[in-house]
Amino acid sequence: MRHSIWICAAVVALGTLTACPPKENPEQPKSSGGGEKRQEKIALKPPPLEKARRPEGMNALRVSNGTISKDQVVEYFKTHNLPMNYTATSDFHVESVDMMTAKQVSDRLAGESTGLADDERLAFVTLAGMFTFTGPPKSSAANFKRAYAVFDVKNGNLMMVGTLEPNREGGQTTTAKQ
Amino acid sequence: MSRWRIVLFACFSILIGARLFAYSCGNPSSGHCYGVASWQEQPEYFGAYADIQIGQLHSTSGGFVDDEIWLVDGTTPACAGNPFTMCWVESGYIADGGSNQVYFWADSRPMNSSTFNLHLLGGTDGTGTVDHFMMIKDGRGAPGLFQLWIYNDSLSTLYHGTSTSNTMSGRRILIGQELAGTSGSSATNVNFTRNIWAVQVLGPEYVFWYNRQTHNGAVTSANPPFGSWTINATSPPPPEGGQFTTHCCS
């Protein structure tokens, strides 16, 4: 009698193990036909655009009279490099400082968004000389003969920097180290 | 006599320390240095996202250190033909040239003029805050748009940017730290969690549909900066996509 109970229990246990498939966690990788791991896609809501803050930039110039002069910018770039630029401040100079709206800055930069209202006033600074920027691993360090900086006329903060025309003579110098 | 010994010991320590904390990440021939994990096995990553802890970054003149996420295309001909030989969108936070650390985003577009643009957004949340960094190709209108957000749980920090005229297709995702310069930078431990990627473009339903990273990808650690998996991405969540940790520079 006791043997029968044990045999019955073993049969039931075996049956349960073979009959019930393992419970799937939708987040666990699943094998597809190609042998790759596949997951169910999961939803994540991006934040609402209307609540985004206005970019503030980085402390840079002291502004008086609601304007930024070329002399101020020249002084600034004697001691401050363009963020992420490889070359030294002695390798470039301030070519021009133009007051314009955010919309005009965007137009000047092939549609690059400033993140500001179209009518906000900015100082667009054109810098000339030699600039070298690079990016993520495996990108080439690229040389440019002109670059730009954008300052907020209200408080003198540095809002944007970037490249203008490439220096084709200099070309790409090297591949950034990983 | 003992005073001379102390002075000698101090001088020796300073010399050794200076050598230990010097690095070669400061010019085009040496290149920048990275502590990153990267993935590139999907046909296209429509977007990328990571939760990045705010650490204390410090840099000196002539260098920078940052923690960030990149979405990169070095394959599309128009991108391979730009001055960097690739397009990308990136976002994170940076300490550059001794300035206070700020959030930023940047893009490299498939064009020869106005290729690279760096947007400086504002001071970061306090140390230890976990911020969310999201970027995704926008399929709701004209081609060439990527939307980027940097935000915290309460949305007291919420910056948004749009990369335009950027027809890249994301082929590679990287997370981690970048270091430029030759000495003087530092960064406390920073964790990257919820390492996930968008499986489709942003549509009218306004949802970032995602999968998590399920393996560690390729890890590069130039030492400095230091980057390594402290929880493997192969581990079941939480956290989704493991935990990658960076620090710099000693």
Side-chain angles (χ1 to χ4, degrees):
Chain A
M1 180 63 181
R2 188 169 287 176
H3 278 266
S4 302
I5 291 170
W6 278 113
I7 290 166
C8 186
V11 168
V12 169
L14 195 65
T16 307
L17 283 172
T18 52
C20 300
K23 193 176 179 182
E24 286 190 6
N25 178 348
E27 285 228 303
Q28 293 301 308
K30 287 186 281 187
S31 182
S32 67
E36 289 185 353
K37 308 279 186 182
R38 286 197 63 185
Q39 302 172 57
E40 298 296 327
K41 66 181 183 182
I42 301 171
L44 176 62
K45 206 80 173 164
L49 290 178
E50 61 273 14
K51 289 192 176 175
R53 285 166 65 172
R54 177 190 184 277
E56 295 157 16
M58 197 165 83
N59 290 342
L61 304 174
R62 283 186 180 176
V63 173
S64 57
N65 306 326
T67 187
I68 291 173
S69 71
K70 186 175 178 180
D71 286 346
Q72 272 181 293
V73 179
V74 169
E75 280 302 309
Y76 178 78
F77 282 116
K78 279 181 183 172
T79 53
H80 295 80
N81 205 335
L82 282 182
M84 293 194 178
N85 174 39
Y86 269 120
T87 63
T89 53
S90 55
D91 291 324
F92 61 87
H93 64 274
V94 176
E95 190 173 77
S96 61
V97 178
D98 300 303
M99 300 300 152
M100 58 179 75
T101 64
K103 172 73 166 61
Q104 288 170 319
V105 169
S106 179
D107 291 344
R108 175 72 180 79
L109 300 175
E112 179 74 11
S113 164
T114 63
L116 304 170
D118 281 353
D119 59 352
E120 290 207 49
R121 289 186 67 237
L122 300 168
F124 186 89
V125 177
T126 303
L127 302 157
M130 174 62 83
F131 308 87
T132 304
F133 288 89
T134 189
K138 297 181 184 174
S139 65
S140 297
N143 295 327
F144 297 84
K145 60 184 179 185
R146 279 195 173 75
Y148 74 88
V150 174
F151 295 90
D152 187 343
V153 173
K154 277 194 294 199
N155 56 18
N157 282 3
L158 180 60
M159 307 296 287
M160 290 172 66
V161 303
T163 62
L164 294 172
E165 295 84 18
N167 185 352
R168 286 302 185 190
E169 294 81 43
Q172 293 143 356
T173 51
T174 185
T175 298
K177 188 166 77 178
Q178 289 189 40
Chain B
M1 184 63 184
S2 62
R3 185 176 290 176
W4 281 109
R5 278 188 182 169
I6 291 168
V7 170
L8 277 172
F9 178 77
C11 292
F12 187 70
S13 300
I14 289 166
L15 281 171
I16 294 293
R19 274 192 173 274
L20 281 177
F21 302 139
Y23 38 82
S24 180
C25 308
N27 60 62
S29 59
S30 64
H32 289 178
C33 301
Y34 303 87
V36 295
S38 68
W39 298 269
Q40 56 180 354
E41 63 280 352
Q42 298 295 331
E44 180 170 1
Y45 296 98
F46 296 96
Y49 172 107
D51 284 345
I52 308 178
Q53 197 177 31
I54 299 298
Q56 286 182 310
L57 307 184
H58 173 76
S59 69
T60 52
S61 180
F64 72 82
V65 60
D66 70 31
D67 279 295
E68 61 167 310
I69 179 168
W70 292 268
L71 181 63
V72 179
D73 178 2
T75 308
T76 302
C79 291
N82 85 4
F84 297 96
T85 66
M86 63 179 63
C87 301
W88 70 83
V89 286
E90 60 179 313
S91 71
Y93 62 100
I94 184 171
D96 184 292
S99 301
N100 293 335
Q101 61 194 41
V102 294
Y103 295 114
F104 74 92
W105 76 271
D107 58 7
S108 163
R109 303 184 292 172
M111 55 186 71
N112 284 323
S113 186
S114 307
T115 311
F116 175 73
N117 304 279
L118 169 64
H119 300 252
L120 302 160
L121 300 174
T124 66
D125 286 333
T127 304
T129 307
V130 175
D131 284 330
H132 316 300
F133 295 76
M134 177 187 280
M135 51 186 69
I136 187 168
K137 180 184 272 189
D138 192 339
R140 296 174 298 173
L145 292 180
F146 281 81
Q147 305 293 349
L148 300 97
W149 292 270
I150 300 172
Y151 58 105
N152 59 16
D153 285 340
S154 68
L155 300 185
S156 61
T157 289
L158 171 52
Y159 290 108
H160 168 250
T162 304
S163 178
T164 60
S165 306
N166 191 348
T167 50
M168 64 174 251
S169 298
R171 311 284 189 196
R172 189 159 57 109
I173 292 173
L174 299 99
I175 58 169
Q177 192 163 80
E178 182 174 2
L179 173 67
T182 54
S183 67
S185 289
S186 63
T188 56
N189 274 357
V190 166
N191 294 325
F192 291 69
T193 51
R194 203 173 197 193
N195 298 300
I196 60 178
W197 55 280
V199 298
Q200 63 190 66
V201 297
L202 183 66
E205 77 281 16
Y206 199 63
V207 171
F208 185 98
W209 289 104
Y210 76 89
N211 279 178
R212 65 185 165 86
Q213 301 291 3
T214 53
H215 65 89
N216 289 353
V219 174
T220 297
S221 187
N223 301 342
F226 301 86
S228 63
W229 287 100
T230 40
I231 300 174
N232 285 330
T234 50
S235 303
E240 289 175 293
Q243 176 175 285
F244 190 76
T245 303
T246 62
H247 74 274
C248 199
C249 298
S250 59

